[in-house]
Amino acid sequence: MIVTKQAVLRRFWYAVMPVSLLDEGQQGFTLLGEKIVLWKTAEGKIACLQDRCCHRTAKLSLGFVENDNIVCGYHGWTFDTAGACVRMPQRPDEPISAKHCVKAFRAEEKYGYVWVALDDPLTGIPEIPEAALPGFRQVPEFYEPWKIGALRLMENSFDSAHVAYVHRETFGDVAQPEVGAREVEVSDFGFDSAYDSPVVVRGDTAQKAVVTADGRTVRHTHSTWYMPFARRTAIRYPHGLQHVLITCATPMDNGNTMVVQWVYRNDTEADVASADVVAFDRAVTLEDQLILESCEPDVPLSTQDGEELHMPSDRPGLIMRRMLSQLLREHGETEQRAFA
Ligand code: FES
Ligand code: CO
């Protein structure tokens, strides 16, 4: 599935950046191949326009924000949050026609991140229960581009069989490679999957992060997939610690994905410093990144004979492929393949 060529993907919300980045001024981003510019007004409203001036196509993200509007850095045409040109410095007394405008997109703040939907959204921003629960703190982890297709990371998040091998240096155990097919409970825009797994945590940082004395423990994991490219993985350890990972694989284009990850935990900074929480997930995530960047970015939804082969533990990923295929069909699209 070539993400930039499937129009229905524009009808979902994506986490594009931490909202704090907008305190530094306007920011450019590429979402599903669409170049956008974002900024924040004095009242805290987030504006999002196509990053292309309608005069000579310059990127508005190279301009500046003035009185809640964005000023093009080339000749100063100025656009409001709805994309209307409200000032043409060279012709101050002439009326400006409505065709002088730039396309505007929906943008909202939630969980400390900016979310954008390029077209009329089919479903809401993922609901994360821990964000509203007392006793949980939020720790930002990663905001970084990976050279992968977004669906690869989603599939990997539900792939129990990779842990023993990819994470053999951190918490996997190559002596225990056998995993069964996970049960999956499908909903309209995603699914839930729960399982228990024994883990070995190695290294000082890892032990601090899970607060176990011997480093051997069992993780009870409940994962939710939010179609198309977000997941929540709630890990519960026997002593009550909960570590809830939110990972958004925001598709920039066909081979590049912004990995946006934060966690909620029901302990305190005094129990485990945020830096130690991040350090453990950092080590784990680097292991995933190395392998995933070696995979072809395009994930085939309908695998042609022999193109990719499967095993039972691949089931969650195959359900993702099937549900995305169905989504395309329901919106009159066919799967676009063949990397350009
Ligand atoms: Fe933007 Fe000229 S290109 S004002
Ligand atoms: Co992994």
Side-chain angles (χ1 to χ4, degrees), residues 53 55-58 72 74-77:
C53 182
H55 178 220
R56 285 294 177 270
T57 79
C72 179
Y74 199 172
H75 311 92
W77 288 21

Side-chain angles (χ1 to χ4, degrees), residues 70-291:
I70 191 144
V71 181
C72 179
Y74 199 172
H75 311 92
W77 288 21
T78 301
F79 302 89
D80 68 13
T81 57
C85 181
V86 293
R87 182 163 182 257
M88 217 176 265
Q90 299 76 12
R91 308 175 71 213
D93 302 321
E94 302 290 322
I96 302 171
S97 83
K99 74 174 181 216
H100 292 77
C101 67
V102 173
K103 194 170 166 39
F105 303 106
R106 288 159 201 80
E108 278 183 25
E109 176 182 352
K110 197 158 187 181
Y111 313 128
Y113 292 85
V114 179
W115 297 75
V116 173
L118 294 173
D119 288 326
D120 191 18
L122 293 169
T123 180
I125 295 170
E127 282 301 330
I128 311 295
E130 289 75 15
L133 282 180
F136 279 83
R137 58 174 167 146
Q138 183 175 354
V139 180
E141 292 204 315
F142 314 124
Y143 179 66
E144 58 193 24
W146 289 14
K147 292 190 182 312
I148 60 166
L151 188 53
R152 290 277 178 215
L153 181 51
M154 284 300 105
E155 290 196 357
N156 180 69
S157 300
F158 291 82
D159 168 8
S160 312
H162 87 280
V163 173
Y165 283 84
V166 172
H167 301 302
R168 61 192 178 275
E169 304 287 333
T170 48
F171 69 104
D173 186 355
V174 281
Q176 298 189 62
E178 287 177 50
V179 289
R182 280 200 213 175
E183 285 310 311
V184 170
E185 196 176 316
V186 169
S187 56
D188 282 351
F189 289 103
F191 59 63
D192 284 88
S193 174
Y195 67 101
D196 289 324
S197 54
V199 295
V200 191
V201 284
R202 300 182 184 83
D204 225 26
T205 319
Q207 292 204 13
K208 277 190 213 156
V210 299
V211 208
T212 59
D214 65 350
R216 281 190 180 273
T217 186
V218 174
R219 309 191 338 167
H220 174 77
T221 303
H222 181 123
S223 289
T224 305
W225 173 53
Y226 305 95
M227 186 189 269
F229 307 127
R231 65 109 185 216
R232 163 184 172 272
T233 289
I235 299 166
R236 203 174 65 229
Y237 293 96
H239 60 296
L241 174 69
Q242 293 182 57
H243 181 91
V244 183
L245 290 148
I246 312 299
T247 307
C248 302
T250 298
M252 300 166 75
D253 57 31
N254 296 318
N256 294 283
T257 294
M258 187 63 83
V259 176
V260 188
Q261 181 165 302
W262 67 98
V263 300
Y264 297 98
R265 284 172 68 102
N266 63 343
D267 60 355
T268 67
E269 190 69 24
D271 297 322
V272 182
S274 297
D276 287 328
V277 172
V278 175
F280 179 58
D281 284 339
R282 171 84 283 170
V284 171
T285 306
L286 283 173
E287 293 168 334
D288 288 309
Q289 183 181 8
L290 184 69
I291 287 288

